[in-house]
Amino acid sequence: MSGKTDGALLIMALIPFVCGASGCSQANIANSYNEKAKTIVVRANMKAVQNAAEKYSKDHIYLYPTKIDDEFKYYFSGGDPTAKKVGQAPTNPFTGTAEWPVLGNVSDLSVSRSAAPEALAAGTIEYSPLNNGKSYAIRGGGEDGKAIASDNAAAAGTGTMVLSRDNYEKPASP
């Protein structure tokens, strides 16, 4: 065989390897977009928990839940407080399973919002009652295993997204 033929065979042998390697890097890039999309779903789940807390407060003399019990779960999608029917837990997009919020330990809303995001499992929604049910704090775990950063964290370099009664927006009416 000539040198040209050996070189051509070598290149042909390497093509699947090079394509396979570049395909893997493209899959990793695609997966990072997928992880960011999952974090967007976590934000929507945070809003669902916030909506449930707000509905609960209207039936409880404007006090918010102080624990994650059936009484709170009646106010989630598909639930019915009158019939004492528990609603549906939000689906964690990272695990694919329905998960109720976990009770958190946030005690100061402004401190939590200004602090750097702390460790929080991806997709987990944390609900913290504040002032004996007069308010609440909701945080969600992002793709990096930390609480989701606030929207203005890029400019300030720090800050955690925390939903509460002061930033509640009623869902649009159908």
Side-chain angles (χ1 to χ4, degrees):
M1 290 193 147
S2 72
K4 287 184 180 181
T5 307
D6 289 341
L9 288 172
L10 179 61
I11 290 171
M12 289 175 65
L14 289 175
I15 287 175
F17 176 78
V18 172
C19 290
S22 68
C24 288
S25 70
Q26 289 171 349
N28 286 338
I29 291 169
N31 194 34
S32 69
Y33 290 126
N34 190 28
E35 298 301 299
K36 292 198 182 304
K38 290 176 183 177
T39 296
I40 292 169
V41 173
V42 174
R43 287 175 179 241
N45 288 348
M46 291 169 64
K47 290 295 263 183
V49 173
Q50 184 180 37
N51 288 334
E54 292 293 334
K55 288 178 195 174
Y56 176 101
S57 77
K58 288 186 177 164
D59 288 346
H60 293 85
I61 316 167
Y62 293 95
L63 290 175
Y64 297 97
T66 56
K67 53 190 169 185
I68 315 286
D69 59 4
D70 283 352
E71 184 74 24
F72 184 18
K73 294 174 185 177
Y74 298 153
Y75 293 89
F76 282 78
S77 178
D80 184 353
T82 307
K84 300 204 180 295
K85 179 184 175 204
V86 171
Q88 299 168 349
T91 300
N92 180 330
F94 293 95
T95 64
T97 59
E99 296 178 12
W100 292 108
V102 297
L103 203 56
N105 57 7
V106 171
S107 59
D108 187 310
L109 195 55
S110 61
V111 168
S112 182
R113 284 180 172 156
S114 62
E118 299 174 349
L120 187 58
T124 297
I125 306 296
E126 179 188 82
Y127 175 89
S128 300
L130 301 175
N131 299 329
N132 296 317
K134 292 179 184 169
S135 191
Y136 58 87
I138 299 169
R139 301 186 312 162
E143 74 266 14
D144 59 356
K146 293 182 181 178
I148 297 171
S150 67
D151 292 334
N152 59 0
T158 184
T160 301
M161 178 184 198
V162 182
L163 300 183
S164 191
R165 60 182 266 197
D166 66 348
N167 60 9
Y168 174 68
E169 295 176 18
K170 281 186 174 182
S173 298

